[in-house]
Amino acid sequence: MTSATAPADSSHPSHRELGRDHDLFMISPEVGRGLVTWTPRGARLRHALEEFWRAAHHAHGYEVVMTPHLGRAGLWGESRQLDFHRETMFPEFDVEGSSYVAKGANCPLHMQVFRTRTRGHRELPVRLAEISTLYRQTPAGALKGLRYARTVSQDDSHIFCRPEDVVPETARYFDLMRRMLRAFGFEDLRPYLGTRDERSVPGDDTWRRATDQLVQGLREAGLDYREAPGGATYYAPRVGVDVVDRWGTSWPLPDLQVDYHLPRMCGVEYTGADGRRAVPAVLHRTLLGSVERFVAALLEHHGVAGLPDWLKPVHLSVLPVREGDESAARALADALRLDGARVAVDDRRLPLGARSGRAREEGVPLVVAVGPDEARTGGYRVRDRAGRRTPVSYGELSAMVRRLGRAPDPALGAPRPGGPVRTDAATSAA
Ligand SMILES: [Zn+2]
């Protein structure tokens, strides 16, 4: 974890205020300190984000896996996580005479997936990825909304590769990182190289090699960086990236580690070209950091109204004009939901103008009022953000709303190997 600067300008609402005012998530003493609960609107945002993440990772050569949130303590003991991170892990508990933990890292689980069968050198690199919640007992005084929570839904990946492929894999990661962060509207990225300290596992040659490879990967990607002595993990040097939002707040999000130690400790092997058993390098990497922290950064950077449309929880607000119009409004919303649209009915006892204004404040792109005329004719007048009113049929309305939910192209504008280079990159955040 890196230290992060305080907001340079505090005139914008914090993600905690936005989360409360727009009903996106809650962190309550009843559930437990630092444990994040996503309410329906926030869960919609998170689903949209995660679906895009999975599509982009498939497109870029990753295989998505799913692993349990707890397991036998020995698994994390083997990788020495229990020695180095015990103070941030929830206490062990007994199940049928065996000691279990809530996971604080995915590494040993992805190594188990790799080890489900014998792997040959031609199969590498194997890139396993998942978004999975880790549980960390961050001290109460350090908790800070979604930024420092005890549920950390890391977008984690482990890339198993031959040692000679570490540099190209590193450069490939930086390329995907930049493309993906740009799709979310982040351009100001500040990498740092975290190097070894006296607590790290021994191995001068492997530490030097891994550090050199990270530096070479940064150079190949054309990224400037600063040095952060002692900023490595106990097993590997790392490149962390501070993402700076429009207010000057720095968010520690992407993280890449080149590791020659855990695969050896965990018995991870492949068959080399010479038929001998060999130990792969493992790149541990997150790109968003954690979904919680990334959503906090997104909210503070864009505000709720300024979020990219495809991430918005609601694309159309349906307003019954007066009492008695609710069932027609709900019927329209139900039909649009069957088409896959993100729709909400606002039937609060408030004047139509007030409900319409609230939708605008929340950045809901489209509003439609439903009264007796609409119910009778099936024609609607949809109002957009600019205040324009357009007459539309049901089919046109449905297409308009669904278009707003379309995520960026998962290829993210990457050139196609051996094929045509795409220039119509749909990676804008708008
Ligand atoms: Zn890992």
Side-chain angles (χ1 to χ4, degrees):
M1 234 174 243
T2 56
S3 66
T5 57
D9 179 333
S10 56
S11 63
H12 66 292
S14 72
H15 72 272
R16 283 181 283 190
E17 290 165 315
L18 292 168
R20 184 195 58 219
D21 295 349
H22 295 269
D23 192 9
L24 299 172
F25 60 87
M26 64 164 194
I27 303 171
S28 72
E30 288 78 12
V31 176
R33 293 182 97 168
L35 303 176
V36 178
T37 298
W38 298 82
T39 49
R41 294 164 56 89
R44 273 197 200 183
L45 187 164
R46 182 171 163 177
H47 282 148
L49 185 155
E50 291 191 6
E51 277 168 29
F52 165 66
W53 183 94
R54 273 189 282 274
H57 278 72
H58 277 301
H60 287 265
Y62 289 80
E63 295 292 345
V64 174
V65 297
M66 298 171 101
T67 60
H69 289 215
L70 50 91
R72 290 182 68 163
L75 211 50
W76 286 270
E78 195 177 47
S79 56
R80 298 196 59 196
Q81 200 196 5
L82 294 182
D83 299 339
F84 283 91
H85 292 305
R86 188 175 288 282
E87 75 283 5
T88 59
M89 294 187 73
F90 281 90
E92 292 177 29
F93 52 96
D94 180 86
V95 178
E96 296 156 351
S98 293
S99 184
Y100 278 67
V101 289
K103 70 177 168 183
N106 293 307
C107 325
L109 294 165
H110 288 187
M111 291 188 189
Q112 289 291 316
V113 175
F114 185 88
R115 290 177 59 186
T116 48
R117 58 193 165 83
T118 310
R119 309 274 184 172
H121 64 101
R122 282 191 206 86
E123 227 184 302
L124 304 186
V126 171
R127 307 182 190 94
L128 302 177
E130 76 174 311
I131 296 178
S132 186
T133 304
L134 310 176
Y135 300 87
R136 294 197 177 148
Q137 203 172 356
T138 302
L143 294 172
K144 201 173 173 191
L146 299 184
R147 185 177 176 119
Y148 292 111
R150 286 178 172 168
T151 44
V152 179
S153 302
Q154 202 170 66
D155 71 310
D156 205 0
S157 175
H158 293 88
I159 301 168
F160 300 80
C161 68
R162 300 180 310 166
E164 56 267 42
D165 292 331
V166 165
V167 174
E169 281 300 317
T170 298
R172 186 187 167 106
Y173 162 78
F174 289 130
D175 179 63
L176 176 60
M177 174 196 82
R178 280 198 286 211
R179 290 176 189 280
M180 188 174 280
L181 290 176
R182 199 178 302 136
F184 287 101
F186 292 117
E187 300 276 355
D188 189 350
L189 313 179
R190 303 185 189 177
Y192 61 88
L193 175 68
T195 50
R196 171 180 200 192
D197 68 13
E198 68 286 349
R199 288 191 336 136
S200 55
V201 297
D204 289 346
D205 291 347
T206 39
W207 277 93
R208 198 175 307 114
R209 182 178 198 185
T211 307
D212 290 347
Q213 285 175 316
L214 275 175
V215 169
Q216 216 180 322
L218 282 160
R219 287 209 186 108
E220 287 196 12
L223 286 164
D224 289 332
Y225 64 93
R226 66 182 166 83
E227 300 253 0
T233 67
Y234 68 87
Y235 54 85
R238 62 143 52 107
V239 170
V241 180
D242 288 329
V243 177
V244 180
D245 72 15
R246 70 170 67 205
W247 307 99
T249 307
S250 181
W251 300 86
L253 301 173
D255 193 87
L256 168 70
Q257 302 151 14
V258 172
D259 172 21
Y260 288 104
H261 299 117
L262 296 198
R264 194 173 295 280
M265 293 179 202
C266 298
V268 176
E269 290 180 336
Y270 68 101
T271 310
D274 58 3
R276 295 209 184 127
R277 311 297 298 156
V279 179
V282 170
L283 276 58
H284 307 243
R285 45 121 288 181
T286 73
L287 205 154
L288 309 179
S290 77
V291 175
E292 287 84 357
R293 186 179 293 170
F294 193 76
V295 168
L298 273 177
L299 290 174
E300 296 202 12
H301 185 59
H302 293 290
V304 170
L307 281 173
D309 281 337
W310 63 276
L311 285 170
K312 285 187 175 157
V314 179
H315 290 139
L316 174 73
S317 187
V318 181
L319 314 178
V321 174
R322 57 184 78 80
E323 244 183 287
D325 296 330
E326 290 90 349
S327 60
R330 269 194 283 276
L332 173 64
D334 288 347
L336 288 164
R337 282 196 196 101
L338 284 173
D339 290 345
R342 292 180 222 157
V343 189
V345 176
D346 185 351
D347 57 3
R348 285 173 296 177
R349 298 267 180 264
L350 291 170
L352 194 60
R355 284 178 284 152
S356 185
R358 175 67 178 163
R360 198 161 41 236
E361 275 167 33
E362 288 179 346
V364 177
L366 300 173
V367 173
V368 71
V370 175
D373 288 351
E374 287 78 9
R376 197 180 63 248
T377 63
Y380 302 92
R381 287 170 71 78
V382 63
R383 204 211 65 207
D384 65 17
R385 273 172 287 221
R388 280 188 301 262
R389 286 170 200 277
T390 313
V392 289
S393 67
Y394 173 80
E396 288 164 336
L397 179 63
S398 172
M400 278 172 95
V401 182
R402 278 178 293 136
R403 227 172 3 248
L404 292 165
R406 205 176 290 159
D409 175 7
L412 293 165
R416 283 157 199 251
V421 175
R422 293 272 306 251
T423 52
D424 58 335
T427 58
S428 91

